[in-house]
Amino acid sequence: MFKKILIANRGEIACRIIKTARRMGIATVAVYSDADARAPFVQMADEAVHIGPSPAAQSYLVAEKIIDACKATGAEAVHPGYGFLSERTSFAEALAKEGIAFIGPPVNAIAAMGDKIESKKLAMEAGVNVVPGFVGEIEDTEHAVRISDEIGYPVMMKASAGGGGKGMRLAYSEQDVREGFDAVKREGLNSFGDDRVFIEKFILNPRHIEIQILGDQHGNILYLNERECSIQRRHQKVVEEAPSPFVTPKMRQAMGEQCVALARAVGYYSAGTVELIVSGADPSGESFYFLEMNTRLQVEHPVTECITGIDLVEQMIRVAYGEKLAMTQADIGIDGWAIENRVYAEDPYRGFLPSTGRLTRYRPPSSASPTLPPEGEDFNPPPLGEVARSAGGGLRGINGIRVDDGVEEGGKVSMFYDPMIAKLITWGKTRDEAADKQIAALDRFEIEGLGHNIDFVSAIMQHPRFRSGELTTGFIAEEYPDGFTGAPASVDLIRKLCAIAGVVATSNSERARHIDGQLGDNLAAIRHWQVAIDKQKHDVTVHNGQITVDGQQMELQTDYVPGARMVHARADGEALAVKLARSGSGFRMTTRGASHAVTCLPAHVAPLSAHMIEKIPPDLSKFLICPMPGLITAVHVGVGDKVEAGQPLAIIEAMKMENILRAEKSGTVKSVNAKAGDSLAVDAIILEME
């Protein structure tokens, strides 16, 4: 077995590989850029080598620097993780010339499957169903328009070397093609060094199903069941699960065998994933088409590990060393259900805009079980002990909760790389159990300092349509057409939050009364409160251990102490974890996929609040405001130009994605404060209208 391997990647996947290598007794080498000098993966590795400035093009994407690091440290093999150089044939070839093993598939397979145009041709030859489209190079925008007209709208434009949701645009009309074609070419060139684009028919009501492939260098190729990855935003996966609630055993076998045939046609070995698009309108499952093959480890590989018990990173290392697979197709089963949610640095309350900055607080959910103690026993909140991180607690984490991350409190989420903070994986005997564990764990996930999507993915886990399994890639657009405002809270949940708010207010009041000299000596205890949650007022009393909300008594136990940021409670038999944060004269309570504005006023003071003057927010509609930290790549207008509502005004690039900023209303440009090449902070004014 290898004695030392180098991980040519960063973040959570670097941490994930290091942990498996450590368990196998293999020493590890990390490489890092300026931005990652203090990152957890650098500290975890046995050795670390600095490879350049923060931009990936000057560090993680420079093959020569990786190879030099291998030579300097004596690393025998390189695991590329995903992204960066993981599917770059020139990198694998360069390693082979230096006698360094590549922990991945053979070069010819990477070349064949990495080019989306060529891979479609190979899939057709191997007898795999392919989506109707134009298989060839497209000359320019006019050519793209002609092709799209012939195929019929809607169509999908894709960068030939793209992946991870980058370099893709959906077009419903000729105008969409004209606006998006050049952007796809630029994203392909900037992210993958290849500006070729192809166009194919967009399947309506599609489900995104992928088959995990695993092969060795001795001709053995297996399929490790499927993953459902239909819940996506801007073609970026958000939720993944295994198995799929849509796929039957017959479908699974048909898909698996076709995918193995494709892998065999290119002499594939190592881990890989064949992505399929399936018509959700066809319950037979026979309408599935080849989309692409990813010749690397997938971000969502943990859900497959959870249901099969197979460590895919370990298998990749063993295969690269030349070992035979120790299992056969008959050994591959399905044990339980696993769901993965990607925790992104983005703000779903502001249109999912990327959010960068420092993690002033980062506490992944405790490894403790979220279930309640038996009735009659004292309520003990989950301890803040060991976190169920990565493979450290086993492939299923601890008590079915696993966190794969590569950040720590005090660290920064940089604009230079992917916005993913962590992956939360839960396993249960059933799909509902896995989803329930997601909700409970997300409630205990604490992130402060930047925007994140925890509320959003929790809302998805609770959504009736998700629970029914009726998923398509249009799920988010269809269920949240006007944006995300938080998961709807039931009347029962609001009652429980009112009771918890009453306890918090009473505890804080009691503490203030007993601090010498702060509020005087003869202040009466406050037991009666007006609690307003999202401006809806409720009457709450807390006295002698008895709590009532709007006249109804409630059984409540909590662990709250003044100053706590998290309350663990049992309210009428239900376990709740509620995050607390000060906000002006009140605070915010966050749980079950929503953040609620809360004020608690003593009942005798509450009537006076009606006399307080509300502050009117300023009118910002005349400004084009930078919605995220990023780089201005184009400004389309100048002073004096007349613009119409919806007209593109500027383009900003953040997290390797281009975002078009449009006019909210018609008007004339009064001033322009930014130009192409400027790096702007969030809320910076780009231009002003008159």
Side-chain angles (χ1 to χ4, degrees), residues 545-620:
Q546 300 295 313
I547 301 172
T548 64
V549 178
D550 296 329
Q552 296 183 2
Q553 190 167 329
M554 176 176 291
E555 294 294 326
L556 179 69
Q557 294 172 286
T558 80
D559 65 342
Y560 180 73
V561 293
R565 297 167 182 256
M566 174 82 74
V567 181
H568 297 96
R570 183 164 65 188
D572 283 348
E574 180 187 8
L576 280 175
V578 183
K579 292 186 276 286
L580 300 176
R582 282 286 172 192
S583 176
S585 60
F587 52 94
R588 299 196 74 81
M589 302 179 75
T590 303
T591 190
R592 295 295 192 266
S595 183
H596 304 275
V598 181
T599 56
C600 295
L601 296 175
H604 65 281
V605 173
L608 302 176
S609 65
H611 302 288
M612 299 297 289
I613 299 173
E614 277 195 50
K615 185 177 180 180
I616 300 173
D619 179 16
L620 299 177

Side-chain angles (χ1 to χ4, degrees), residues 508-530:
N508 290 343
S509 173
E510 285 294 291
R511 180 174 181 268
R513 287 177 68 233
H514 290 93
I515 294 176
D516 185 38
Q518 180 172 323
L519 295 174
D521 298 326
N522 301 312
L523 208 61
I526 302 172
R527 304 299 184 194
H528 190 187
W529 300 90
Q530 182 192 85

